[in-house]
Amino acid sequence: MHSITIISATNRPDSNTEKMANYYLSALKNKNIDAELLSLKNLPESFLHSDFFGQRSHEFQQIIEKYVEHQHKFIFITPEYNGSFAGILKVVIDAIPPKYWADNKACLTGISTGRAGNLRGMEHLTNILNYLKVNVYHNKLPISRVDTLMDDQGNLMDEETRKVIDMQLEGFLKF
């Protein structure tokens, strides 16, 4: 059985996005589901200048092989950046051959410190993934005011949010 790749879709250090991605990782492991976390903050430093137009760094090729090439399910945890998602995620998607995305499944969770939980960003990402022939699970979860839902160590403390994440994951595992 293949594992699920959870993508923490920002390269910002110490982000709420990565904290939430770690919560998802923990929740899946508690369900005995094999999952891996790809944090975009761990991309090779030369990534923006070395992994396009027929060039491929060894480091990024290893990321593709471990987290994308053999996977069939992805969970994107996407922060809101200027009414959409972080540009680094679009760059990563563009740097990976479309054949590795096609006919796979994705689950989207948008997070923000504001009120909308990155609804626009999730719709934007849905359009891109659909273009790449990725089937996007219908239960896209917007999590607003994420900074108020976690303690100082980044632990998700809000019980209602934990419940809706669990419902989302249960549905996605059946999808």
Side-chain angles (χ1 to χ4, degrees), residues 19-125:
K19 293 170 187 170
M20 189 61 70
N22 276 310
Y23 178 79
Y24 271 74
L25 180 64
S26 222
L28 288 171
K29 298 240 182 222
N30 287 339
K31 296 176 183 297
N32 295 313
I33 303 299
D34 188 25
E36 298 281 343
L37 175 60
L38 170 57
S39 176
L40 300 189
K41 76 173 189 184
N42 296 327
L43 291 171
E45 284 187 31
S46 64
F47 170 71
L48 286 174
H49 302 286
S50 66
D51 283 281
F52 289 94
F53 313 115
Q55 301 175 22
R56 175 75 65 222
S57 69
H58 176 70
E59 294 85 3
F60 193 67
Q61 183 61 39
Q62 288 180 314
I63 288 171
I64 293 171
E65 290 170 4
K66 180 175 182 179
Y67 296 105
V68 180
E69 185 176 356
H70 303 290
Q71 304 299 64
H72 297 290
K73 285 191 171 185
F74 301 89
I75 297 174
F76 291 85
I77 311 297
T78 59
E80 183 176 351
Y81 278 49
N82 299 315
S84 189
F85 56 87
I88 192 69
L89 176 59
K90 180 67 165 82
V91 173
V92 167
I93 290 169
D94 288 347
I96 296 172
K99 67 182 179 182
Y100 295 134
W101 296 112
D103 300 318
N104 290 315
K105 297 177 181 180
C107 179
L108 308 184
T109 296
I111 67 166
S112 73
T113 55
R115 298 181 310 183
N118 198 17
L119 286 168
R120 283 188 201 129
M122 286 191 291
E123 289 307 311
H124 185 197
L125 183 56

Side-chain angles (χ1 to χ4, degrees), residues 125-143:
L125 183 56
T126 297
N127 289 335
I128 292 165
L129 293 172
N130 286 163
Y131 179 83
L132 292 168
K133 301 177 183 148
V134 176
N135 296 303
V136 178
Y137 180 55
H138 74 275
N139 186 3
K140 298 176 232 173
L141 183 59
I143 300 176

